[in-house]
Amino acid sequence: MTTTPRNPHSPLFLPKSSFLLFSMASLLSLSLLSFFLFLCLSSAARHQHKPPPTTSPSVIVQNACKATRFPEQCQSSLTKLPPDPTPVQILQSALSVSSENLKTAQSMVKSILDSSVSSINRTTACKVCVEVLRLSDYRIGLANNALPSGRNKDARAWMSAALLYQYDCWSALKYANDTRQVGEAMAFLDSLTRISSNALSMIASYDVTGKDIASWRPPLTERDGFWEGSGSGSGSLAFRGGFPAKVKPDVTVCKDGGNGCYKTVQEAVNAAPDNAGDKKFVIYIKEGVYEETVRVPLEKRNVVFYGDGMGKTVITGSAQADQPGMTTYLSATVAVLGDGFMAKALTIQNTAGPVAHQAVALRSDSDFSVYEECEFVGNQDTLYAHSLRQFYKSCRILGNVDFIFGNSASIFQDCQILVRPRQVKLESGENNAVTAQGRTDPAQTTGFVFMNCLINGTKEYMDLYHSKPQKHKNYLGRPWKEYSRTVFINSFLEELISPTGWLPWGGNFALKTLYYGEYANTGPGSDLSQRVPWSSKVPAEHVSAYSVQNFIQGDAWIPSSLISSLDLS
């Protein structure tokens, strides 16, 4: 066995005293090195800039979604947000989710339409859906573009309409729900309306409460004691505006079609430029009765109808909802989609008759629309003030059942609202409601406001009424939808208005959520002592919430002139 000789210079073989000195030196070196590293790290830590504290996106989303009616669906849908999103980024993300889901709904409707050749009901419902979903997509886009520039009121109005149009599609399919495809589409649309409702609620809260997301809250209504924009100096009720002072025709319509005239109103509308700027395209419609259906499409903005007077220039039709392939929406004699529409000095009527049920004279979906000295004649559903912001001045509206209806934000100023007979047998009685406002969501900026109007009956109806007043009952309105809102201010209510004032739709539906208000009305039908308990007297300090300025922002788009004339030079 061989052994390795010991190396006397190896530390392993140092004497014990030398080994001890070596170990102490090593420990001292390690301690000094550790202390130096500690000083370096401490210095670096002192000079390092810590990132500012951030709020978790989930916390921000939770706070934002507290402003909605469906917070769980809101939180699950807002998944594509940047770190520390701004309020506008949150709102635009919500609109993007609505828009993406809308495209899926459009695809589902197209599939139903393609497979429904043999079904008139389904085909008709889908055609309505195709149009209203296109309108919804357009309004969502406008709302999205308005938010970064601070046009919050516009964004709310446009998103209110977008939500309405989605609901309209669901409602149309409800009457053609005879296949699995239709049922699935309706279920998807129900989810879509919740998503859009959430987006609208957040936009409303942002507009009302500001940028502090933690302060956002669900939408409130007058029934909660909330009036938006009211208070001293916040909008005079004495607004005086209407048609432009002087307008010059671009084209003319006359019965014989001679001397360069168009023979039909529709031909003149077709001649208007698409997607024009702010310039009005004025169509002078000479005296005569024009039997036709008129459509002003979305692309035809700022179209003006100017007639020779109520009862002189008359556009007339007779379509009604009971006809095959027809709906209330489609039955309108005149239907307007293009924004900025104006009409003056003419009559639009539907002559389907009182036994025909829903038969619309005018359907208006035109934002910033003005109707002055116009007459609308029908029976049930005469005026379909369907969506967006509308102003009616010195107009005359005749009908009987729900003859002013829809889900627009409309103000009627200095108008005559007249009930017509609807009995086949004149001795039989009836219940008539002047209005059926259709707000479906508390965040929608919609409702009907009547200022300085006369609520009465035609001479023929009043003769009938006086023969048996107890049988002929008339009401200011009834709630077509859950958050129906209608207000009468400084108006004259004649004796035909029932002492109870308002009519339920059925049972207790909407009685806890509607808002029906009256303020400073006069006349034999204005006594509030016997009104139904679910109607209200508008507090004086809040009546300015319904001014033209506050309710439809009309001071920004309604011409301020008091007298208008047609320049034929």
Side-chain angles (χ1 to χ4, degrees):
M1 175 177 174
T2 58
T3 59
T4 302
R6 292 192 301 176
N7 181 358
H9 300 291
S10 171
L12 296 175
F13 299 103
L14 290 175
K16 185 179 290 185
S17 59
S18 299
F19 181 79
L20 183 62
L21 289 171
F22 178 83
S23 299
M24 291 175 66
S26 298
L27 287 171
L28 181 61
S29 298
L30 286 171
S31 298
L32 289 171
L33 179 61
S34 298
F35 181 69
F36 177 76
L37 287 172
F38 172 77
L39 290 176
C40 290
L41 290 171
S42 298
S43 176
R46 284 196 304 272
H47 289 88
Q48 183 178 4
H49 294 286
K50 294 182 179 180
T54 61
T55 305
S56 165
S58 62
V59 174
I60 294 175
V61 168
Q62 287 174 16
N63 284 333
C65 290
K66 286 178 182 177
T68 70
R69 300 173 65 206
F70 312 104
E72 291 184 4
Q73 189 165 5
C74 174
Q75 291 181 41
S76 65
S77 68
L78 295 179
T79 58
K80 298 179 181 179
L81 287 169
D84 287 328
T86 66
V88 169
Q89 287 174 325
I90 292 173
L91 301 179
Q92 290 186 315
S93 179
L95 292 175
S96 176
V97 173
S98 177
S99 181
E100 289 169 7
N101 281 270
L102 176 63
K103 287 173 173 55
T104 301
Q106 289 174 306
S107 177
M108 296 174 80
V109 167
K110 185 178 184 303
S111 294
I112 297 171
L113 181 60
D114 291 344
S115 62
S116 299
V117 177
S118 61
S119 171
I120 294 177
N121 281 349
R122 255 184 283 129
T123 297
T124 302
C126 287
K127 285 181 178 178
V128 171
C129 276
V130 167
E131 177 161 298
V132 294
L133 292 183
R134 182 175 76 99
L135 296 177
S136 183
D137 185 52
Y138 175 68
R139 296 299 173 183
I140 291 172
L142 290 182
N144 186 72
N145 293 336
L147 286 167
S149 58
R151 295 164 59 201
N152 301 334
K153 294 288 190 293
D154 286 340
R156 292 172 64 186
W158 292 329
M159 198 59 203
S160 293
L163 174 59
L164 161 66
Y165 297 138
Q166 294 165 19
Y167 177 85
D168 281 345
C169 179
W170 179 91
S171 184
L173 292 176
K174 179 176 67 173
Y175 296 102
N177 186 13
D178 58 356
T179 68
R180 179 182 56 81
Q181 260 189 315
V182 175
E184 290 173 350
M186 288 180 65
F188 188 85
L189 283 162
D190 186 60
S191 175
L192 172 60
T193 57
R194 289 171 180 254
I195 290 170
S196 298
S197 168
N198 287 341
L200 174 61
S201 291
M202 287 188 283
I203 295 171
S205 202
Y206 173 62
D207 185 37
V208 172
T209 64
K211 296 180 180 179
D212 181 10
I213 297 172
S215 69
W216 290 5
R217 45 135 180 87
L220 300 176
T221 72
E222 294 93 336
R223 292 296 286 271
D224 303 305
F226 176 72
W227 281 266
E228 186 176 345
S230 61
S232 60
S234 60
S236 170
L237 295 178
F239 179 82
R240 289 294 177 263
F243 230 72
K246 186 167 285 191
V247 292
K248 188 175 182 65
D250 292 284
V251 296
T252 299
V253 180
C254 54
K255 286 293 294 180
D256 60 8
N259 299 320
C261 287
Y262 287 102
K263 195 170 184 178
T264 68
V265 178
Q266 188 64 58
E267 288 174 334
V269 170
N270 296 342
D274 290 349
N275 301 310
D278 294 333
K279 185 182 182 301
K280 298 293 184 183
F281 184 84
V282 180
I283 301 172
Y284 170 39
I285 309 171
K286 288 188 174 183
E287 182 174 350
V289 177
Y290 300 85
E291 298 183 28
E292 58 176 306
T293 297
V294 180
R295 296 293 179 262
V296 182
L298 187 64
E299 295 76 18
K300 306 289 186 182
R301 298 203 298 262
N302 295 310
V303 171
V304 177
F305 287 0
Y306 207 122
D308 279 329
M310 289 188 280
K312 294 181 178 180
T313 296
V314 180
I315 305 172
T316 185
S318 59
Q320 45 99 356
D322 290 341
Q323 294 170 330
M326 187 57 64
T327 68
T328 303
Y329 180 88
L330 297 174
S331 71
T333 301
V334 176
V336 184
L337 298 180
D339 287 349
F341 180 80
M342 304 182 83
K344 180 165 180 171
L346 50 79
T347 292
I348 299 172
Q349 66 182 21
N350 188 309
T351 61
V355 297
H357 302 297
Q358 297 92 339
V360 176
L362 170 72
R363 188 188 81 238
S364 179
D365 286 278
S366 172
D367 202 14
F368 312 127
S369 54
V370 176
Y371 302 87
E372 184 175 304
E373 296 175 13
C374 290
E375 181 180 54
F376 308 101
V377 183
N379 288 281
Q380 182 173 351
D381 293 358
T382 302
L383 175 58
Y384 198 174
H386 188 214
S387 66
L388 299 158
R389 290 164 287 191
Q390 307 179 21
F391 182 59
Y392 296 82
K393 178 182 177 182
S394 303
C395 291
R396 187 159 62 225
I397 307 165
L398 290 80
N400 36 59
V401 181
D402 307 331
F403 63 100
I404 302 173
F405 75 114
N407 194 12
S408 63
S410 290
I411 289 183
F412 300 85
Q413 184 184 85
D414 303 326
C415 292
Q416 295 181 45
I417 315 298
L418 304 177
V419 176
R420 303 176 75 194
R422 67 180 174 97
Q423 299 84 351
V424 176
K425 296 181 179 179
L426 294 181
E427 66 274 10
S428 63
E430 81 289 315
N431 289 329
N432 293 321
V434 171
T435 68
Q437 205 280 331
R439 188 167 62 150
T440 61
D441 192 284
Q444 286 177 318
T445 57
T446 56
F448 294 160
V449 177
F450 294 84
M451 292 184 185
N452 307 309
C453 291
L454 168 67
I455 316 301
N456 200 2
T458 63
K459 182 182 184 305
E460 183 184 11
Y461 181 80
M462 291 311 293
D463 289 344
L464 181 65
Y465 172 83
H466 286 136
S467 67
K468 289 185 179 177
Q470 69 277 10
K471 277 198 168 188
H472 305 290
K473 297 180 180 179
N474 299 275
Y475 302 87
L476 296 173
R478 60 176 181 156
W480 185 25
K481 302 299 176 185
E482 190 174 1
Y483 293 91
S484 181
R485 174 164 58 177
T486 302
V487 177
F488 286 82
I489 298 170
N490 296 332
S491 293
F492 191 91
L493 313 184
E494 269 291 2
E495 59 183 316
L496 77 166
I497 296 301
S498 169
T500 56
W502 306 85
L503 183 68
W505 188 270
N508 293 321
F509 172 72
L511 300 189
K512 293 183 179 179
T513 49
L514 61 74
Y515 184 72
Y516 287 163
E518 299 176 60
Y519 177 81
N521 297 310
T522 56
S526 66
D527 182 6
L528 301 181
S529 63
Q530 298 182 56
R531 289 296 197 251
V532 291
W534 34 270
S535 68
S536 305
K537 180 180 179 180
V538 181
E541 64 270 24
H542 295 307
V543 72
S544 62
Y546 307 108
S547 68
V548 170
Q549 296 92 319
N550 284 328
F551 200 68
I552 58 173
Q553 298 79 56
D555 55 327
W557 54 270
I558 299 173
S560 59
S561 55
L562 298 180
I563 300 175
S564 175
S565 63
L566 191 65
D567 181 3
L568 296 176
S569 59

